[in-house]
């Protein structure tokens, strides 16, 4: 079938069936991930490869890649930035285009002036050890004109998986029978060989690279046989640094056919009593509408909220109905919420964050920075 006649809309029945599994249900490292998608979706392998490639070329899918649990590989945080309004556009573009360690870059607003609403630029940040997130943010302030920032590292994760097609039919209150899982954020140390495999593993795929034995060229890139590459990747999976094999939909911008997967991106904030953070996070994480849920300490800038999560939707009232169902559930299980808020996403750009220490050192030199000046204060240097 000529490429131009292959359906590329996310709601084409065959594409939707593929995407329900390929977005976020192929967990861990799989030696043959496209075969797994075919088996789970019931769509022939050749068709899976053809359709994913066509959607990738059309921009319906923005990237295909093996994700990592980056919270286990490099210290990271959600970062809220206070930027003068006249510098906000430039700061956004700088964060996206010039900082390879900032991933999600989002402009957010609230429905009314409230605690923290002056923080309109939000990013995710990963800074590999032995380098320092505060030093990195201070440097970004000089590039962007930001006047303040607030680091919001995750203490625990309760939900992590962005399946937009699968979630389009979710009703307010839909949830799992059991509470959500708890993921730690402990950093795992890797050796040079593991990093080499990981870097090859995580690079996104071009349409021409999609094939049944998809990892063979990546093994060669890493200087490994496919057997050794797969064994090292499986070991990384056991160390819980591998996320999922995923086809990421372009979910904010309009597709070539004029459709949008979602229109609203909501960052929910809740303040629950100290000591109830893990129980509350597990209860929030069980709701199907939540793509992310974390324990993050907002501090006084954000009214001391401690549970945050993200939900998407095409209808604002429906997104708020999802949140209301979660609010009611928290009350029903005896977890009082003394403060809550919603930060709505506007303009956004998303890219994978760099996490390799070697890449950070190279970036410092590109910026004219001494890498030693960007290390954590108690980190010994080679001159010590």
């Amino acid at each position: 079938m000529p490429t131009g006649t292959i359906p590329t809309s996310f709601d084409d029945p065959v594409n939707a069936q593929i995407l329900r599994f390929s977005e976020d249900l192929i967990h861990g490292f799989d030696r043959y991930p496209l075969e797994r998608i075919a088996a789970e979706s019931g769509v022939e392998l050749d068709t899976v490869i053809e359709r994913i490639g066509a959607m990738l070329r059309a921009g319906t899918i923005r990237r295909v890649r093996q994700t990592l649990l980056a919270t286990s590989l490099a210290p990271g945080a959600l970062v809220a930035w206070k930027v003068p309004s006249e510098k906000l556009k430039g700061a956004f573009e700088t964060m996206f285009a010039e900082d390879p360690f900032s991933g999600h870059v989002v402009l957010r607003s609230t429905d009314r002036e409230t605690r923290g609403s002056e923080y309109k630029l939000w990013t995710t940040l990963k800074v590999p050890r032995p380098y320092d997130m505060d030093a990195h943010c201070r440097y970004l302030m000089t590039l962007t004109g930001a006047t303040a920032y607030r680091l919001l590292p995750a203490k625990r994760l309760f939900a992590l998986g962005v399946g937009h097609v699968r979630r389009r039919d979710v009703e307010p209150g839909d949830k799992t029978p059991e509470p959500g899982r708890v993921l730690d954020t402990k950093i795992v140390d890797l050796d040079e060989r593991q990093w080499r495999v990981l870097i090859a593993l995580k690079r996104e795929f071009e349409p021409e690279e999609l094939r049944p034995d998809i990892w063979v060229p990546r093994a060669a890139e890493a200087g490994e046989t496919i057997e050794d590459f797969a064994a090292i990747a499986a070991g990384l999976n056991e160390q819980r640094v591998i996320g999922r094999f995923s086809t990421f939909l372009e979910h904010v911008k309009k597709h070539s056919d004029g459709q949008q997967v979602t229109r609203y991106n909501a960052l929910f904030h809740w303040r629950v009593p100290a000591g109830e953070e893990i129980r509350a996070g597990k209860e929030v994480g069980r709701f199907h509408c939540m793509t992310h849920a974390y324990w993050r300490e907002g501090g006084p800038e954000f009214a001391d909220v401690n549970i945050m999560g993200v939900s998407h939707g095409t209808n604002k009232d429906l997104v708020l109905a999802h949140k209301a169902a979660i609010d009611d559930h928290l009350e029903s299980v005896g977890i009082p919420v003394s403060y809550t808020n919603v930060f709505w996403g506007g303009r956004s750009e998303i890219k994978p964050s760099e996490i390799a220490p070697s890449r950070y050192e190279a970036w410092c030199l590109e910026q004219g920075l001494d890498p030693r000046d960007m290390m954590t204060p108690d980190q010994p240097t080679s001159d010590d």
Side-chain angles (χ1 to χ4, degrees):
M1 181 185 291
T3 301
T5 64
I6 300 172
T8 59
S9 172
F10 64 86
D11 61 359
D12 170 85
V14 175
N15 291 346
Q17 185 64 14
I18 293 169
L19 290 166
R20 284 180 179 274
F21 294 93
S22 68
E23 278 196 273
D24 69 340
L25 291 181
I26 309 302
H27 298 290
F29 173 76
D30 195 293
R31 177 72 172 78
Y32 301 99
L34 296 174
E35 285 190 9
R36 174 85 179 280
I37 292 168
E40 296 285 355
S41 65
V43 178
E44 291 290 333
L45 175 61
D46 288 348
T47 302
V48 166
I49 292 172
E50 177 185 70
R51 292 298 185 97
I52 291 176
M55 286 189 281
L56 187 56
R57 290 186 180 93
T60 304
I61 292 174
R62 70 173 185 270
R63 62 176 55 93
V64 177
R65 65 182 288 260
Q66 179 73 55
T67 70
L68 309 177
L69 293 177
T71 51
S72 298
L73 292 165
L78 181 64
V79 190
W81 301 87
K82 189 186 295 186
V83 184
S85 57
E86 68 275 12
K87 296 183 177 181
L88 197 56
K89 180 180 178 182
F92 181 101
E93 292 170 352
T94 296
M95 296 289 194
F96 175 66
E98 299 181 28
D99 182 27
F101 307 95
S102 292
H104 293 58
V105 183
V106 185
L107 296 179
R108 292 195 178 275
S109 60
T110 53
D111 288 331
R112 65 185 187 283
E113 290 298 314
T114 185
R115 194 77 67 86
S117 59
E118 68 272 23
Y119 288 82
K120 298 187 182 301
L121 177 61
W122 294 68
T123 64
T124 57
L125 177 66
K126 299 289 181 204
V127 175
R129 294 192 300 186
Y131 303 100
D132 182 61
M133 280 194 289
D134 276 302
H136 192 85
C137 287
R138 288 193 295 269
Y139 178 67
L140 290 180
M141 289 178 72
T142 69
L143 295 182
T144 62
T147 58
Y149 67 89
R150 170 73 179 168
L151 287 173
L152 303 163
K155 292 192 168 186
R156 296 289 191 280
L157 286 71
F158 308 104
L160 188 62
V162 187
H164 294 294
V165 169
R166 183 166 49 82
R167 287 182 169 88
R168 288 172 69 84
D169 300 327
V170 169
E171 295 292 334
D174 286 355
K175 60 185 182 296
T176 60
E178 66 286 334
R181 56 183 178 161
V182 181
L183 296 177
D184 207 338
T185 55
K186 182 180 178 181
I187 303 298
V188 175
D189 290 314
L190 304 181
D191 62 29
E192 185 273 337
R193 190 182 186 193
Q194 289 173 312
W195 272 115
R196 193 171 65 246
V197 167
L198 202 68
I199 289 169
L201 196 72
K202 76 182 184 67
R203 183 169 58 78
E204 59 192 75
F205 288 92
E206 297 297 328
E208 296 74 22
E209 294 181 284
L210 301 176
R211 48 182 278 183
D213 207 344
I214 200 168
W215 296 119
V216 169
R218 296 300 173 90
E221 179 183 314
E224 302 285 349
T225 66
I226 183 58
E227 292 77 15
D228 286 346
F229 181 90
I232 293 168
L236 291 168
N237 196 51
E238 291 176 3
Q239 291 178 275
R240 300 192 177 189
V241 301
I242 303 295
R244 62 192 185 279
F245 186 89
S246 181
T247 60
F248 289 84
L249 280 178
E250 178 53 72
H251 65 278
V252 176
K253 298 175 184 177
K254 287 185 178 180
H255 295 181
S256 57
D257 59 5
Q259 294 192 83
Q260 286 177 275
V261 177
T262 67
R263 291 184 59 201
Y264 296 95
N265 164 357
L267 174 63
F268 299 152
H269 283 189
W270 291 276
R271 182 173 67 213
V272 302
E276 291 278 28
E277 295 93 348
I278 290 180
R279 188 163 77 97
K282 289 168 66 177
E283 294 299 332
V284 169
R286 72 195 298 174
F287 281 81
H288 296 315
C289 67
M290 301 302 296
T291 61
H292 302 74
Y294 317 88
W295 172 7
R296 299 185 189 272
E297 295 288 346
E301 295 91 340
F302 295 99
D304 295 309
V305 299
N306 45 17
I307 301 296
M308 299 185 184
V310 177
S311 185
H312 300 78
T314 56
N315 179 286
K316 186 175 182 178
D317 288 339
L318 182 58
V319 173
L320 289 173
H322 282 300
K323 182 179 180 298
I326 298 172
D327 294 344
D328 290 344
H329 176 73
L330 290 173
E331 182 180 356
S332 73
V333 296
I335 302 175
V337 175
S338 55
Y339 174 85
T340 187
N341 203 355
V342 180
F343 282 75
W344 297 101
R347 182 186 176 191
S348 69
E349 294 285 358
I350 302 171
K351 64 183 190 295
S353 298
E354 289 286 355
I355 53 172
S358 60
R359 182 66 187 96
Y360 194 87
E361 180 179 2
W363 176 82
C364 287
L365 297 175
E366 292 165 7
Q367 299 293 312
L369 299 170
D370 186 335
R372 294 172 297 182
D373 293 337
M374 305 298 284
M375 290 182 174
T376 53
D378 58 349
Q379 179 66 39
T381 69
S382 57
D383 294 337
D384 290 339

